[in-house]
Each structure stands twice: as C-alpha cells, then as structure tokens.
Amino acid sequence: LWEPSMQTLVLVAITVLLAILIGIPLGIACGLSSRFEGFLMPILDTLQIMPSFAYLPIVTLFFLIGPPSGIVASLIYAVPPTIRLTSVGIRQVASASVEAAESLGATSRQVLRDVQLPMSRRTRVVGINQTVMAALSMITIAALVATPGLGQSVLGALQILDIGGALNGGLAIVVMAIVLDRVISAASN
C-alpha cells in the first residue's frame, strides 16, 4: 500500500496547503470584522453540515472525474475548520494585550502581526489539524470519482467483497491520520 499511501499523502498535502492559503486570511477577516463573520458563518455551517457525498457530483460537473475533483471537493469540505478556528483564536486574544500594544503606538496591522497572530497560534494549529483530518477523510471518499490513493484500495476491495483488503486499506488510512495528527501537534510545539 506504499504507492496509494503516498498518493493520498500528496493529495492531502495539496488540499491542506490550499485550505491554509484560503482559510487563514478569511479567518483573520472574520476575527477582525463581526459583519464579515456574520456573512461567512452561515456559508461555513452549510459546508460543514452538507453530507460529504453531496460535494462529489457537483464538483465533477466542473472538474470532471479524477484528482482535481477530489482535491476541490476535499478543499470545500476541509477549509471551514481553518476559517472558524482562526477567527476564534483572533477573537480570544486578551483585550488587555491588544490595548497595551495600541497604547504603545502600534498600528492595527502591527497589533495583528505582533500580538493577535502569535497569541492565537495554538487555536490556529487545532484548526489546521482538523483541516488535515477532514481532507484525509474526503480524499478517501473521493475515490468514488476516481481520485487515486488509499480510497481506491478500499473501494476496489469492497467492490469484490475482499474484506481483508478493505481492512488493510482502512488501517493504512487510520495510521496515516494518527501520524499526521502527531506530526502537526509536534510541529506546533
């Protein structure tokens, strides 16, 4: 299962990188603007509540069958935790810290860069961790639209009723999830 594992890892890495590039700026904007948060949160609620299988047919209409559809569907499914937890982290920074920085003459951009972002790092890392887990789960499901990886191993084994083969693929996914979780947790420290 080495090759499908590496395919899954690459697809998850691409998805998570895109989710971070999109999610952290949107999360910062939500954390700084209640109005923007009020606009974006119902959209994020919808994205998180909608069943993951529902993304696949819609995405395949635009990106056809294959890895791009899997990445886009995973991105849509995985970006909300990054946005939400970045916003929560920014909002949970102690107001005394922000006031102290402002009283010393810091601009709002400096307060964000030097106070709010460093103090919200732990919460953002939790959001990234949740994004990785959501991306891994959706990339696995995206095997239904011919996305390569461990999902194909599980799906192929289930189609021929090879329970042992499906279990092997499933265990490889679980091991990958555990390793990614530990690596992200260690990197945050």
Side-chain angles (χ1 to χ4, degrees):
L1 294 175
W2 180 256
E3 186 174 332
S5 296
M6 293 302 104
Q7 291 170 337
T8 299
L9 187 61
V10 167
L11 291 170
V12 167
I14 291 168
T15 302
V16 170
L17 180 64
L18 291 172
I20 289 170
L21 291 175
I22 294 168
I24 289 186
L26 286 175
I28 290 170
C30 284
L32 297 176
S33 169
S34 296
R35 189 173 191 178
F36 186 67
E37 183 182 41
F39 165 76
L40 195 59
M41 285 305 151
I43 296 170
L44 296 178
D45 291 340
T46 303
L47 292 177
Q48 285 187 299
I49 292 171
M50 187 180 294
S52 54
F53 287 111
Y55 293 121
L56 295 176
I58 297 166
V59 170
T60 55
L61 286 174
F62 296 103
F63 295 96
L64 304 176
I65 302 268
S69 290
I71 290 172
V72 171
S74 297
L75 178 63
I76 292 169
Y77 186 70
V79 77
T82 299
I83 296 171
R84 282 185 186 277
L85 289 167
T86 299
S87 174
V88 167
I90 295 289
R91 289 184 183 274
Q92 287 182 343
V93 171
S95 60
S97 300
V98 173
E99 289 174 16
E102 288 172 346
S103 70
L104 292 171
T107 64
S108 58
R109 184 171 283 178
Q110 289 171 329
V111 169
L112 175 66
R113 186 187 65 223
D114 298 332
V115 177
Q116 290 174 314
L117 287 177
M119 293 182 82
S120 66
R121 184 175 57 89
R122 286 250 187 232
T123 309
R124 278 181 299 148
V125 169
V126 169
I128 292 169
N129 195 0
Q130 292 301 309
T131 295
V132 169
M133 295 305 130
L136 183 59
S137 70
M138 191 64 189
I139 285 291
T140 303
I141 292 169
L144 294 171
V145 293
T147 301
L150 289 169
Q152 284 291 336
S153 301
V154 173
L155 183 63
L158 288 176
Q159 287 174 340
I160 59 171
L161 297 176
D162 179 13
I163 305 303
L167 181 65
N168 285 341
L171 288 175
I173 293 167
V174 169
V175 167
M176 184 176 291
I178 291 170
V179 168
L180 288 172
D181 178 56
R182 298 302 184 263
V183 166
I184 292 168
S185 298
S188 72
N189 292 331

